[in-house]
Amino acid sequence: MLNRPLTKIHLTNLRRQKKGNRLALALRLVGISQNDLSYELRIPRSYISDVASNRYRTITVENAHRFAAFFEVEIADLFPPLTDTELSPKKKLKRSA
C-alpha cells in the first residue's frame, strides 16, 4: 500500500473543519482521487464516496484504521468525535393550547 502522509500544515487545515468527517478534505490535500484511495485500500469507491460525503453517520473501526493509516494520522483527525448534541436527535417541544 502506498501511503500518502498528511504534512503538519495539512493537519492544521484538516483540524479547522469542525463538522462531519474530514476524508474528502484529506483527499484534496494530498492530491489523490477517491478511485486511487479505493485501489490502494481495496475498498469500493462507492463506499469511499459515501463516507467522504457524510452519507454514513458511523463507519467500522477497521475502515477508520485503514483510512488513518493511509494518511498516517490518528482516527480522530479524520473522524472527529460527535458532540452530545450531534448524538441525540433534536426533539420538538409540544406547546399546550
Side-chain angles (χ1 to χ4, degrees):
M1 176 170 65
L2 179 63
N3 294 2
R4 296 294 289 264
L6 290 168
T7 67
K8 289 182 181 182
I9 294 171
H10 288 153
L11 274 175
T12 300
N13 290 328
L14 196 68
R15 291 173 180 154
R16 286 184 182 147
Q17 181 179 322
K18 299 295 182 195
K19 288 198 172 203
N21 76 64
R22 300 165 176 160
L23 183 60
L25 179 56
L27 287 166
R28 281 194 306 274
L29 289 171
V30 298
I32 65 166
S33 69
Q34 292 177 3
N35 264 355
D36 295 336
L37 184 62
S38 171
Y39 177 80
E40 292 295 330
L41 298 183
R42 304 295 189 254
I43 294 175
R45 193 205 54 77
S46 60
Y47 177 79
I48 292 172
S49 174
D50 287 342
V51 172
S53 300
N54 289 308
R55 287 191 201 102
Y56 290 131
R57 199 166 164 98
T58 60
I59 65 169
T60 65
V61 173
E62 178 185 350
N63 284 338
H65 276 286
R66 292 170 76 184
F67 289 129
F70 181 82
F71 293 107
E72 297 182 13
V73 297
E74 299 294 321
I75 291 173
D77 290 324
L78 292 174
F79 306 100
L82 297 174
T83 63
D84 288 340
T85 55
E86 292 172 320
L87 287 172
S88 61
K90 294 180 181 179
K91 296 179 182 177
K92 293 183 180 180
L93 297 176
K94 293 184 180 180
R95 296 183 180 204
S96 56

